[in-house]
């Protein structure tokens, strides 16, 4: 449940339109990383894969955002 909450927070931060975009993406990354401490490949392979994918997408968006700022 805690990892799911972290995952949901990450989605909320990555979709958030208020505030600084780069800061919101950093918060999303932190939440995904916290979720991955529970969603391990061995224990939760499907959740792990989805979270890894979402983390990679947000990291790429952060990189693009940092380049344009």
């Amino acid at each position: 449940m805690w990892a799911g909450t972290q995952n949901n927070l990450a989605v909320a931060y990555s979709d958030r339109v208020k505030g600084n975009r780069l800061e919101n993406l950093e918060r999303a990354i932190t939440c995904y990383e916290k979720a991955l401490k529970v969603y391990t490949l061995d224990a939760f392979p499907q959740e792990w894969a989805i979270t890894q994918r979402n983390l990679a997408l947000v990291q790429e968006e952060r990189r693009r955002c940092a380049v344009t700022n």
Side-chain angles (χ1 to χ4, degrees):
M1 175 149 317
W2 180 83
T5 301
Q6 291 301 312
N7 196 52
N8 290 339
L9 277 171
V11 171
Y13 278 125
S14 66
D15 292 344
R16 188 173 186 215
V17 294
K18 282 190 163 188
N20 181 284
R21 182 71 183 140
L22 197 53
E23 288 176 13
N24 288 336
L25 293 173
E26 291 290 344
R27 288 183 179 132
I29 288 168
T30 299
C31 291
Y32 281 131
E33 289 171 342
K34 287 179 180 179
L36 285 169
K37 291 181 185 209
V38 175
Y39 289 158
T40 62
L41 178 58
D42 290 335
F44 300 96
Q46 185 172 358
E47 290 84 353
W48 177 86
I50 292 168
T51 304
Q52 286 285 1
R53 177 187 173 276
N54 291 341
L55 175 59
L57 292 171
V58 171
Q59 288 173 329
E60 175 59 21
E61 187 174 349
R62 177 190 60 180
R63 185 195 65 77
R64 284 193 315 254
C65 186
V67 168
T68 60
N69 286 337

